[in-house]
Amino acid sequence: MTTCGRAPDAPGRSLSAGRCMLDIRNLCKHFGGIKAVDDCSFTVEGGSITALIGPNGAGKTTAFNCISRTMTPTTGEVWLDGERIDGLRPHKITARGLSRTFQISRNLADMTVLENVICQSRINGWRDFFKPAMSAEEIDKAMGILNFLGITRLAHEDGANLSYGQKKLMDLAALLMSDPKIILLDEPAGGVNPTLLEEIIGHIRELNRNGLTVLIVEHNMDLIMRLSHRVVVMAQGGVIASGSPEEVRNDPAVLEAYLGGAQEAAA
């Protein structure tokens, strides 16, 4: 099996392109009579940047939560690189190579950036309570990732002092500490100024070029069309279309999902 090469200073695992990295099978999440995710199935190819899009209320973030097990699916299966993971605890899923961000940064405001990156990235569950605050190895690794992201200067800054965009970079750094196979990015462009957004896009592209698979939820359609190899579209909890950005852009079902929702809101 051939693998994608990566630069020595680029975080992430070197991976084969072309194989199925993430396989979502008939995923459902119901809240009483509300079907937030309903029979949702799609795949993410290894080495790709895949976007998960859809109108508000489509179920995208709920699907993310079920995949990463921050929510328990009602039914369905999640397979990561050939291994079923939907019955695992979140830290076990992270240990197997899947890490995610959240729409709102979960930084600890009374800790430095370096401490946040190390603390948030630990993946051994309760055993981590018995580890030293920060080992020399963890510090070296975290500083290397902060350097890769261009924010070494912020290492000893309190998390509370960061801009919204800088917090997004800190969250990305914490993800990379676990050497993931695939990262799930939930609204990485939300609230970020255009200059810093271009930096984030550049980092995502570089990580992907070096073998990291990316699944991204994002409302910024310009970003999605520029960045993604493949787009999966959700509406009313299920997948209604998938394909290249150009194919999805011209799909009548996608246009109806977005324009129909706008018309209902205006009514």
Side-chain angles (χ1 to χ4, degrees):
M1 181 182 294
T2 59
T3 57
C4 298
R6 65 182 176 91
D9 59 344
R13 298 179 182 178
S14 184
L15 302 171
S16 295
R19 72 171 182 261
C20 182
M21 179 56 61
L22 187 65
D23 188 359
I24 311 304
R25 304 179 185 176
N26 308 111
L27 192 67
C28 297
K29 180 61 180 179
H30 300 167
F31 300 94
I34 299 173
K35 298 179 179 180
V37 176
D38 189 30
D39 199 26
C40 177
S41 298
F42 64 90
T43 59
V44 177
E45 183 179 296
S48 72
I49 299 175
T50 297
L52 185 62
I53 69 169
N56 290 333
K60 306 179 297 296
T61 294
T62 303
F64 256 36
N65 292 339
C66 291
I67 292 167
S68 61
R69 206 47 164 73
T70 54
M71 282 183 180
T72 303
T74 304
T75 57
E77 300 178 4
V78 179
W79 293 75
L80 173 65
D81 202 15
E83 178 184 7
R84 187 171 176 180
I85 62 169
D86 51 89
L88 300 179
R89 294 178 182 272
H91 71 276
K92 294 287 187 183
I93 291 174
T94 302
R96 281 161 175 76
L98 184 149
S99 294
R100 65 155 305 175
T101 62
F102 294 83
Q103 288 182 20
I104 300 174
S105 177
R106 295 190 169 190
N107 67 295
L108 302 171
D110 58 344
M111 296 174 67
T112 68
V113 169
L114 182 63
E115 289 167 337
N116 265 285
V117 167
I118 293 174
C119 176
Q120 293 186 64
S121 67
R122 288 184 168 174
I123 58 176
N124 295 316
W126 62 269
R127 293 179 181 83
D128 284 326
F129 286 110
F130 300 98
K131 294 177 68 173
M134 295 190 296
S135 70
E137 182 180 1
E138 287 175 323
I139 292 172
D140 286 346
K141 184 174 183 179
M143 290 300 292
I145 293 171
L146 293 176
N147 181 63
F148 169 74
L149 295 175
I151 54 172
T152 311
R153 68 190 185 283
L154 300 176
H156 302 292
E157 187 73 48
D158 286 346
N161 296 335
L162 270 58
S163 71
Y164 197 78
Q166 289 170 337
K167 288 176 181 178
K168 296 270 188 178
L169 286 172
M170 181 178 66
D171 292 343
L172 181 57
L175 258 64
L176 297 176
M177 281 287 288
S178 63
D179 295 322
K181 299 176 182 178
I182 179 171
I183 56 174
L184 278 56
L185 304 178
D186 197 353
E187 299 279 3
V192 178
N193 71 65
T195 300
L196 192 51
L197 178 58
E198 289 304 314
E199 288 185 29
I200 292 172
I201 290 172
H203 294 316
I204 294 170
R205 282 184 173 142
E206 185 169 356
L207 288 165
N208 177 251
R209 281 195 299 267
N210 290 293
L212 189 61
T213 305
V214 180
L215 176 62
I216 180 171
V217 163
E218 182 54 64
H219 284 104
N220 185 324
M221 287 299 103
D222 175 65
L223 181 152
I224 289 302
M225 295 303 165
R226 291 165 52 199
L227 189 61
S228 305
H229 303 126
R230 182 168 173 262
V231 180
V232 177
V233 188
M234 288 184 68
Q236 298 180 335
V239 173
I240 61 168
S242 65
S244 70
E246 190 61 30
E247 289 170 336
V248 165
R249 189 201 302 268
N250 297 308
D251 190 304
V254 176
L255 295 174
E256 172 62 25
Y258 277 94
L259 297 179
Q263 289 167 355
E264 288 173 9

